[in-house]
Amino acid sequence: MTYVITQPCCNDASCVDVCPVNCIHPTPDEKPFATTEMLYIDPDTCIDCGACVEECPVEAIYAENDLDEVDEPYLDINAQYYTKHPIGPDWPEPLALPQIDAALGTLHVAIVGSGPAACYAAMELTAKPRVEVDIFDRLPTPYGLVRAGVAPDHPGTKGVTDQFRSVVGKRTVHCHFNVEVGRDVSHEELLAHHHAVIYAVGAAGDRTLGIPGEDLVGSHAATEFVAWYNGHPDYADHAFDLSGKRAVIVGNGNVALDVARILVTDPEILAKTDLADHALEALRASNIREVVILGRRGPAQAAYTNPELLALGLMPDVDIVVDPDEAVLDPASRAFVDGDEAEPSHRHKVRQVEEFARRTADPAKKRIVLRFLTSPVEILGTDAVESVRIAKNEMVADASGRLSAKPSDVTSTLDTGLVLRSIGYRGQPVAGIPFDDRRGVIPNENGRVIDPETGTPVPGVYVAGWIKRGPTGVIGTNKYCSAETVKMLIDDFSAGRLDAPTEREALDRLIAERAPDAVDYQGWQRIDKTERAGGKAAGRTRTKLITIESMLAAARADT
């Protein structure tokens, strides 16, 4: 019997470390890890020990015999990975972090941000003796996109916060939530109080389409909609027009699928999740019956992952609709899927789309329509969105065989009052730090921030997560990314390349003066307790507080 990794997989790779026979791949040291959809267990190598089950933070691993019917496709998905990537004796050794010489004293590090990359960095740092970490976040609550980005109907994915809680609660970690770097404390002041600063601020911006009508009322970034239904305080007062029968989402990554699910899921199902109350009420009054997802490339190159696509097809009382003509691959895409270099994940995507295309839709059900080889060219309307004009694309290969989508002159129009663009997050500049505006990242080499004018490292300044590599990967991808950054930092500390803090003892006084409403770990615990208590009373995991004022009131309770 073998164990099998299923849909909730977050790529944390904790399971990799405990596997005694090295049968879980790709590991963080392997090239495919940066782009993999999930991790996979080799059924021919697995010895049925079950060590990975206990280690998985999101309960994604099951014994073959215990798989539910809906998870049975993952047995083949796991096995097929090894037809393309067979296990070999020459696979790389895991990344090993250097030890810190006791004679160097205590290493003090500031981490800006408290999402996955920040928490994984704190985890790696505090695994070493004589390291103290200060975590800063501008919100009173930690965990970044795990709290404000993961879809409410994916509660298993949020299980990774149990690991993060154990880190931010360590006595060597000091939490400064509701403290904004650049407003309450400057970058220069952080460096004065620490040997090094790691920026793990994610990618808070979004990309634009650059087409006429994009600024009309009713045209939004999907990131805004996600933050709204997840109760992010910056977006709680936003409004979205759900009065029409159709919504159009541009882009077909996992975020697009999340948004589509939320729009057509029975609100009474969502009422059992941690969806924000204001979003739940709006969705109860929604008239939307159909969500059309526009992908500019074909089924083989779609941006979503197989686990999310499979989950889409399991939604109760919702049809997944694909035009049979759009499920047929053009010659270039067929070669892409059938060629020797093709990844099994591409074939799985194509097979699932073909299966959707064979289904017969029920007019009485809500539906999600997957469109392929389509691009929006104009959003139409007088004062607000009324429709979107789309062009048909074709896949073409360049001289090297690389495929791209080329728009044609064939266009059509979709009536809609709501357009959500889901074409990617984008990093934002940090005051006093170099920024690569073209890529939307802070320029760096393996996590060391680089001065673009001199090409040399900026002493004491590091990055991790999306602001380091761009918005790619899933939650667990940040674990190796952060470990790589921490290795660079410890190497620099050990080599004497970091300046010692000169005003270490004044940090708490500075924060008390500049940010009197700062929330520490105990304050966050009180917020968490309040939310969980509210959720328990309503039969939910939690009822989120959505304003800074209510969060601060909870943080001060019983003090």
Side-chain angles (χ1 to χ4, degrees):
M1 186 181 74
T2 181
Y3 279 85
V4 182
I5 299 179
T6 64
Q7 189 270 336
C9 178
C10 70
N11 293 25
D12 171 87
S14 297
C15 55
V16 171
D17 296 334
V18 299
C19 178
V21 292
N22 191 31
C23 77
I24 305 177
H25 295 271
T27 70
D29 314 276
E30 296 159 9
K31 187 176 180 180
F33 184 80
T35 56
T36 190
E37 296 184 343
M38 55 183 284
L39 304 183
Y40 308 89
I41 293 176
D42 178 20
D44 294 332
T45 309
C46 177
I47 60 172
D48 190 22
C49 70
C52 55
V53 177
E54 296 299 321
E55 200 67 23
C56 179
V58 294
E59 299 181 359
I61 306 177
Y62 296 89
E64 175 185 358
N65 294 346
D66 294 334
L67 287 175
D68 292 333
E69 183 178 354
V70 296
D71 287 328
E72 287 181 358
Y74 288 97
L75 184 59
D76 182 56
I77 287 173
N78 278 248
Q80 286 298 314
Y81 177 80
Y82 293 93
T83 64
K84 172 66 178 174
H85 304 282
I87 290 179
D90 57 343
W91 284 19
E93 292 294 321
L95 175 70
L97 294 183
Q99 297 299 316
I100 301 176
D101 188 342
L104 295 174
T106 299
L107 170 62
H108 294 280
V109 180
I111 300 177
V112 183
S114 65
C119 289
Y120 282 128
M123 191 182 302
E124 295 290 352
L125 283 164
T126 57
K128 302 290 184 183
R130 297 174 300 281
V131 178
E132 293 200 9
V133 172
D134 289 289
I135 298 180
F136 296 82
D137 197 293
R138 70 179 186 88
L139 294 179
T141 56
Y143 308 147
L145 283 181
V146 177
R147 178 181 171 91
V150 173
D153 60 348
H154 279 6
T157 304
K158 299 184 181 185
V160 72
T161 58
D162 291 339
Q163 282 191 349
F164 298 163
R165 183 189 300 273
S166 66
V167 174
V168 299
K170 284 186 175 181
R171 64 175 182 81
T172 53
V173 175
H174 313 285
C175 299
H176 310 282
F177 303 143
N178 202 40
V179 178
E180 185 171 348
V181 174
R183 181 193 66 188
D184 302 317
V185 58
S186 70
H187 167 68
E188 291 74 18
E189 287 168 330
L190 286 183
L191 275 179
H193 291 86
H194 302 87
H195 290 91
V197 181
I198 298 175
Y199 285 92
V201 294
D206 61 88
R207 300 184 184 277
T208 59
L209 295 167
I211 61 175
E214 188 171 11
D215 296 328
L216 283 170
V217 174
S219 172
H220 309 270
T223 55
E224 296 175 19
F225 190 74
V226 169
W228 171 75
Y229 67 60
N230 272 313
H232 192 296
D234 290 351
Y235 298 90
D237 61 350
H238 281 38
F240 298 88
D241 184 2
L242 307 180
S243 63
K245 292 185 177 181
R246 176 188 288 143
V248 174
I249 302 175
V250 180
N252 62 3
N254 285 347
V255 172
L257 270 55
D258 286 346
V259 170
R261 286 198 322 275
I262 296 298
L263 283 169
V264 296
T265 294
D266 183 344
E268 298 316 308
I269 294 177
L270 295 175
K272 300 174 184 178
T273 72
D274 65 355
L275 186 88
D277 285 344
H278 60 263
L280 181 60
E281 292 309 308
L283 289 165
R284 279 179 168 146
S286 171
N287 291 326
I288 291 176
R289 303 281 305 171
E290 176 180 278
V291 180
V292 180
I293 300 177
L294 304 179
R296 65 185 177 87
R297 298 180 297 178
Q301 301 90 10
Y304 49 65
T305 61
N306 277 292
E308 292 301 317
L309 183 64
L310 286 168
L312 205 65
L314 300 174
M315 296 180 66
D317 300 318
V318 176
D319 278 331
I320 310 302
V321 178
V322 176
D323 184 328
D325 290 339
E326 293 191 8
V328 176
L329 299 189
D330 59 273
S333 293
R334 177 54 64 188
F336 172 76
V337 171
D338 292 341
D340 293 339
E341 298 303 313
E343 289 288 338
S345 60
H346 298 147
R347 299 191 186 101
H348 285 299
K349 287 181 180 179
V350 171
R351 285 202 296 266
Q352 185 59 50
V353 167
E354 291 172 341
E355 195 275 326
F356 287 150
R358 289 191 293 269
R359 296 184 183 182
T360 300
D362 182 348
K365 292 183 178 181
K366 294 180 180 180
R367 60 176 57 191
I368 295 173
V369 181
L370 300 178
R371 296 288 308 273
F372 299 98
L373 293 171
T374 56
S375 293
V377 293
E378 185 177 9
I379 299 174
L380 305 169
T382 304
D383 298 316
V385 174
E386 298 174 8
S387 61
V388 56
R389 186 161 61 90
I390 59 177
K392 189 70 175 174
N393 298 336
E394 60 177 344
M395 297 301 296
V396 296
D398 60 20
S400 63
R402 183 176 181 179
L403 294 175
S404 61
K406 179 181 179 182
S408 71
D409 295 330
V410 179
T411 63
S412 58
T413 302
L414 282 172
D415 292 337
T416 183
L418 178 64
V419 175
L420 300 170
R421 63 179 182 274
S422 182
I423 54 175
Y425 290 81
R426 177 177 169 80
Q428 301 293 299
V430 175
I433 307 297
F435 188 70
D436 183 339
D437 189 63
R438 182 183 65 84
R439 297 181 56 216
V441 299
I442 292 175
N444 69 94
E445 291 181 0
N446 301 321
R448 289 189 180 102
V449 173
I450 299 298
D451 184 334
E453 294 185 2
T454 64
T456 58
V458 179
V461 188
Y462 304 84
V463 285
W466 280 1
I467 197 64
K468 169 186 173 181
R469 67 182 191 276
T472 61
V474 292
I475 291 172
T477 313
N478 294 289
K479 187 174 184 180
Y480 181 78
C481 173
S482 295
E484 180 186 59
T485 295
V486 169
K487 181 181 186 303
M488 299 298 105
L489 191 159
I490 292 177
D491 283 345
D492 290 343
F493 178 63
S494 299
R497 291 189 284 265
L498 303 181
D499 293 333
T502 57
E503 304 172 25
R504 181 66 210 159
E505 68 287 348
L507 179 62
D508 289 341
R509 185 170 64 250
L510 182 151
I511 293 173
E513 293 173 354
R514 304 267 189 85
D517 290 327
V519 175
D520 58 11
Y521 176 72
Q522 287 71 30
W524 154 239
Q525 288 296 90
R526 288 188 283 271
I527 294 173
D528 185 51
K529 181 180 178 180
T530 299
E531 291 186 339
R532 289 179 182 272
K536 184 177 182 180
R540 308 168 67 181
T541 54
R542 69 173 65 234
T543 301
K544 285 182 177 177
L545 302 176
I546 61 170
T547 66
I548 300 295
E549 293 74 20
S550 63
M551 293 175 185
L552 294 181
R556 299 186 188 107
D558 303 324
T559 60

